């Protein structure tokens, strides 16, 4: 993985890296936007759950604009960072980058801001513990 270039401004490893498969494509041969939304949700949810040390639910995802297509065979990297913590909620910023098979610079696909809420076994909000 060390030969995969990190995009500018991103330190460290992505939360998710996934190779895009033919099953994920529409009939134009590009990846369904919903597949990328699912990866964003999973990556951001992982960051929120680790921070909350509990289950979390997605409360909100802001406007998502796809700036570039994703193709079969692209390696998609989803970066996610904790931007803020409220009493029960957490704000996560996610970025999606595609590494084409030609090994060139990664292409920015989209960014999103999400709010997750920590929940207990009854699925009601619970406080995010202090660090
Ligand atoms: C998320 C959920 C538990 C929140 O329940 P609720 O009764 O509205 O909870 P609260 O009013 O106490 O709000 C919880 C937190 O969300 C924040 N919040 C609520 N609505 C918000 C909004 N529109 N934007 C930003 N934050 C919001 C509140 O400010 C609060 O944060 P804080 O404690 O850090 O101040 C509930 O709405 C739910 O279960 N939603 C479904 C989640 C889900 O299933 N997602 C997957 C869909 S398939």
């Amino acid at each position: 993985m060390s030969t995969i270039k990190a995009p500018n401004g991103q330190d460290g490893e992505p939360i998710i890296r996934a190779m895009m498969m033919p099953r994920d494509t529409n009939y134009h041969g590009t990846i369904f936007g919903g597949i990328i939304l699912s990866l964003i949700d999973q990556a951001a949810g992982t960051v929120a759950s680790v921070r909350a040390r509990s289950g979390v639910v997605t409360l909100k995802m802001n406007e998502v604009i796809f700036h570039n297509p994703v193709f079969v065979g692209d390696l998609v990297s989803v970066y996610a960072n904790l931007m803020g913590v409220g009493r029960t909620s957490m704000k996560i910023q996610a970025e999606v980058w595609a590494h084409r098979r030609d090994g060139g610079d990664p292409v920015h696909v989209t960014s999103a801001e999400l709010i997750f809420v920590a929940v207990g076994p009854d699925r009601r909000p619970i406080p995010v513990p202090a660090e």
Side-chain angles (χ1 to χ4, degrees):
M1 294 302 240
S2 59
T3 58
I4 299 171
K5 293 178 195 165
N8 287 341
Q10 289 292 347
D11 298 328
E13 292 292 308
I15 305 299
I16 290 177
R17 260 189 186 137
M19 181 71 72
M20 294 296 103
M21 296 295 173
R23 64 167 181 259
D24 301 325
T25 60
N26 58 36
Y27 63 87
H28 300 297
T30 58
I31 301 300
F32 284 116
I35 298 288
I36 304 300
L37 296 180
S38 174
L39 292 175
I40 291 171
D41 196 25
Q42 290 174 56
T46 299
V47 170
S49 185
V50 167
R51 175 61 185 84
R53 303 199 289 274
S54 72
V56 296
V57 290
T58 314
L59 172 69
K60 183 174 170 180
M61 188 186 292
N62 74 347
E63 182 181 63
V64 174
I65 296 169
F66 292 99
H67 301 289
N68 285 292
V70 179
F71 301 107
V72 170
D74 284 357
L75 186 62
V76 167
S77 298
V78 187
Y79 295 81
N81 293 293
L82 183 70
M83 304 305 287
V85 179
R87 194 181 79 82
T88 66
S89 66
M90 291 154 286
K91 184 190 288 187
I92 312 285
Q93 167 77 23
E95 281 193 13
V96 181
W97 294 77
H99 295 77
R100 310 290 193 211
R101 290 178 67 82
D102 65 8
D105 288 338
V107 175
H108 179 232
V109 176
T110 190
S111 299
E113 194 176 280
L114 301 92
I115 306 283
F116 285 82
V117 175
V119 292
D122 61 356
R123 302 181 196 280
R124 294 301 305 153
I126 58 172
V128 176
E131 272 189 299

